[in-house]
DNA sequence: GCGTAAGAATTGCTCAACAATTCAGCAAGA
DNA sequence: TCTTGCTGAATTGTTGAGCAATTCTTACGC
């Protein structure tokens, strides 16, 4: 890379842009559309997704629909029952316990030992999620608060600095959204965490990672108990 | 469920066997076959997997192959390049670091806080993996030692008692097998861990979870450094 | 009311086709 | 020599039709 080749550096910096050039495949877009319908709650847990209906509704072939559905089954957003079809997953109490066992391991550890726990950018995402939640609450947008809450926990795991962990947490949180759809009173559930998240963020910002991790664990345990209680009388 | 209905209990206990009866779908079996070829090293990292060739070789339609390949792409075993095809993943140094960031968070935490860390069955799996490794070493079966090593780390995560975490670790370990295929000297790499795994298992068995977790973290860091060093001069 | 057997609908999978894209090779031009 | 442009072959992405197997529905007979 010499001065005689001034474009070299610029070209090298473009290699990463390949992903932007290649537009997403149809199957991927179908998967995104269906996933959205599910996590937004427009498709109820337990609801059925007939291939032909989707094919017609989205204007793509049944094979493409099939490919998209398989992907969502792998993500645990949908469940496939052989020869019967795919359904929106209906998480049960055991699923909740399982997810929280995983979260209780990952999230506090990410706060306590995360390599990026003092990286201003990563910590800034915590702060941003807190602000997002407060703003949503200010305009009585409780689904918005719920979304901000998810962003907060995503940011917590982001402190670990592992893309694979981030992705896994995305799946766990998508599953949690299904859980919330089985519950009433979204507001009562999410509102108390506004202050909690703020407190955790402050602890992280001031470097008190051990205490922050303990807070995270405590909040997770509280949330799990609350959800399981709501499931019990259902 | 009365005495007048003696088959009731037996029948009820079979409901879980449905997954066994409903034999796996063709796409799933294709995915298993290809995944095996990859993790066993018969398909080299970077190697290409043309759909038509697979379709012909396995005697299934191209659409079914496609479904299987998509699944494996989601598992990070394969990589899809739009309009070019799917290739066996070639993990780079950054992938190694990412995987170890995740493992360093999950595995020590599972040992330290896992709900099943004193469940004899879960701990027994650790002991079994250690024995498996020693037996493989005794007959100079170094791929066997590598496999036992993976079983050991799987068992470590099993202490957490979360199916979702178990699954995630399965993916991470599959990716690690791809990493090993880029390295020579399987023996030199895996042999030292026979004693280490034994030591960790003893610590878990005697309830010294904090020390066991520290050992796990230490061994993971050593392994990562070793792999990255091997990658450096490649 | 209850089991049951035809009939309809859906899934799992295959086959064939076609446009779009990539790629190797080659020829023309600077 | 190196780059550019073109052409043809191969592969992917997607579609559509079709069929056996399974499940669901419904109407029937007892």
């Amino acid at each position: 890379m010499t001065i005689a080749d001034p474009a070299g550096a610029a070209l090298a910096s473009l290699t990463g842009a390949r992903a932007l050039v290649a537009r997403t495949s149809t199957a991927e877009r179908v998967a995104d559309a269906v996933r959205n319908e599910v996590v937004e709650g427009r498709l109820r847990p337990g609801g059925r997704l007939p291939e032909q209906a989707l094919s017609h509704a989205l204007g793509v072939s049944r094979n493409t629909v099939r490919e998209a559905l398989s992907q969502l089954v792998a993500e645990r957003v949908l469940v496939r029952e052989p020869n019967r079809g795919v359904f929106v997953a209906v998480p049960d109490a055991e699923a909740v316990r399982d997810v929280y066992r995983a979260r209780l391991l990952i999230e506090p550890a990410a706060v306590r030992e995360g390599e990026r726990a003092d990286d201003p950018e990563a910590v800034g995402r915590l702060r941003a999620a807190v602000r997002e939640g407060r703003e949503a609450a200010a305009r009585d947008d409780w689904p918005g608060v719920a979304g901000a809450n998810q962003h907060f926990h995503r940011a917590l795991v982001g402190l670990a600095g592992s893309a694979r962990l981030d992705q896994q947490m995305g799946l766990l949180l998508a599953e949690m959204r299904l859980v919330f759809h089985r519950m009433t009173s979204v507001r009562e559930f999410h509102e108390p965490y506004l202050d909690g998240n703020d407190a955790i963020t402050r602890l992280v910002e001031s470097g008190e990672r051990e205490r922050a991790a303990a807070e995270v664990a405590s909040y997770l345990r509280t949330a799990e108990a609350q959800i399981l209680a709501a499931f019990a009388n259902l």
Side-chain angles (χ1 to χ4, degrees), chain A:
Chain A
M1 214 156 315
T2 70
I3 296 185
D5 180 23
L11 287 181
S13 79
L14 277 178
T15 56
R18 187 182 184 111
L20 294 175
V21 174
R23 71 170 168 284
T24 73
S25 77
T26 307
E28 216 168 320
R29 270 173 291 147
V30 169
D32 289 346
V34 174
R35 185 179 20 242
N36 254 348
E37 293 298 296
V38 171
V39 300
E40 298 294 341
R42 283 189 288 276
L43 287 169
R44 297 285 167 75
R48 192 171 172 195
L49 301 179
E51 300 178 353
Q52 199 171 5
L54 284 176
S55 163
H56 191 270
L58 299 173
V60 300
S61 90
R62 195 158 75 90
N63 274 326
T64 303
V65 168
R66 200 148 228 291
E67 220 167 296
L69 293 183
S70 295
Q71 163 118 16
L72 295 174
V73 167
E75 294 179 16
R76 289 182 194 267
V77 172
L78 306 180
V79 173
R80 163 163 278 140
E81 300 191 17
N83 290 313
R84 289 190 10 93
V86 301
F87 304 80
V88 180
V90 186
D92 56 8
E94 176 49 31
V96 172
R97 277 189 288 269
D98 198 280
V99 168
Y100 272 95
R101 273 195 286 270
R103 293 183 64 179
L104 265 164
L105 268 198
I106 294 173
E107 298 191 33
V111 171
R112 195 186 307 116
E113 312 165 23
E115 292 190 6
R116 301 189 56 191
D118 41 15
D119 177 337
E121 188 196 332
V123 176
R125 269 196 269 277
L126 283 182
R127 176 55 63 197
V130 169
R131 184 162 41 240
E132 179 191 351
R134 293 231 184 266
E135 286 170 1
R139 57 177 190 274
D140 268 2
D141 172 11
W142 300 106
V145 174
N149 240 323
Q150 302 232 346
H151 292 161
F152 180 77
H153 286 277
R154 214 180 245 277
L156 280 183
V157 174
L159 298 179
S162 162
R164 282 155 186 77
L165 222 43
D166 291 349
Q167 188 193 340
Q168 169 71 0
M169 183 53 52
L171 298 185
L172 293 180
L173 289 178
E175 209 170 346
M176 288 311 297
R177 297 190 74 154
L178 289 177
V179 170
F180 294 146
H181 288 139
R182 295 194 63 190
M183 296 172 56
T184 49
S185 67
V186 180
R187 169 174 180 168
E188 279 70 15
F189 181 75
H190 286 102
E191 193 170 24
Y193 297 101
L194 286 172
D195 290 335
N197 293 348
D198 198 347
I200 290 167
T201 302
R202 273 199 298 270
L203 287 173
V204 172
E205 285 169 340
S206 65
E208 301 177 71
R209 290 158 62 156
E210 192 59 53
R211 279 187 60 198
E215 282 296 292
V216 171
S218 162
Y219 279 115
L220 284 175
R221 268 188 265 270
T222 305
E224 181 187 10
Q226 225 177 322
I227 293 170
L228 287 177
F231 264 51
N233 50 2
L234 221 169

